[in-house]
Amino acid sequence: MRVDAQHKRRAILESATALFRSKGFDAVSMSDVAIAARVGAGTLYRHFPNKAALYGAIPWNRPGEVEAAAENALRHNGTAQRLSAWLKAHAELLIVNPGYATQLTGAFGRSDSPLAARCDAHLSAARRVIDALGPALRPDVDALTLCRLTGAVAMATEMVNLPLASVEELLDVVAAGLLAKPLETAARVS
């Protein structure tokens, strides 16, 4: 890529990042980005064919951050604490910017998404947590389910602007529901 094209791409990404952070995905148009980056619409579309592709090119999480969150969660003692720590850390990664939770959660399981590589990093970290917890989890819990559940809580958090303490309480309830033992206890009570 030519130097001037690299500069324009960088300007587009910087402007788009600032706009998406302040307004969220839905409130930003490609025209807004072109104006903020001081490039023509044609230049913008040559670099990014649509808003989803542009959004997908922005590095919302630093490389290795998702894997580090899983590793840190697995350092906790006890299955419930480890799972809860992962869900909370994962939700924090999704809440980092307005609209990110919605965009990423909608992309989980879709290989055609511009966010597919980012989804793969989240799914890989979730698989690591699942493998570490083993039979303590319900047998129907997989990485996709785990990521979508966390994403749903993160999306709800964004929509109603829940305080962090409320989010953590919700994720503790989700964690308890994912464990195999509470399910067996609930079956005995019925």
Side-chain angles (χ1 to χ4, degrees), residues 55-73:
Y55 195 83
I58 296 171
W60 296 114
N61 301 119
R62 292 181 303 277
E65 191 172 22
V66 179
E67 189 60 36
E71 187 177 314
N72 290 337

Side-chain angles (χ1 to χ4, degrees), residues 73-136:
L74 293 174
R75 289 186 181 131
H76 285 77
N77 292 324
T79 302
Q81 292 81 1
R82 293 164 95 189
L83 178 58
S84 187
W86 162 246
L87 294 174
K88 291 172 186 176
H90 190 228
E92 284 182 34
L93 291 170
L94 297 176
I95 299 170
V96 36
N97 292 295
Y100 185 60
T102 301
Q103 294 306 309
L104 195 64
T105 302
F108 284 128
R110 290 186 39 220
S111 60
D112 64 334
S113 169
L115 296 171
R118 201 140 322 133
C119 289
D120 289 344
H122 287 261
L123 290 166
S124 175
R127 277 187 211 96
R128 182 167 178 220
V129 171
I130 289 169
D131 290 346
L133 299 179

Side-chain angles (χ1 to χ4, degrees), residues 32-69:
D32 294 335
V33 174
I35 291 167
R38 295 187 171 126
V39 298
T43 299
L44 175 61
Y45 283 100
R46 262 193 306 283
H47 287 280
F48 304 99
N50 55 49
K51 187 165 74 166
L54 173 58
Y55 195 83
I58 296 171
W60 296 114
N61 301 119
R62 292 181 303 277
E65 191 172 22
V66 179
E67 189 60 36

Side-chain angles (χ1 to χ4, degrees), residues 20-22 27-29 47 52 54 60 66 82 85 89 99 103 111 114 120 135 139 149-151 165 178 183:
F20 287 133
R21 273 202 175 117
S22 65
V28 175
S29 70
H47 287 280
L54 173 58
W60 296 114
V66 179
R82 293 164 95 189
Q103 294 306 309
S111 60
D120 289 344
L149 278 170
T150 310
L178 294 172
L183 186 65

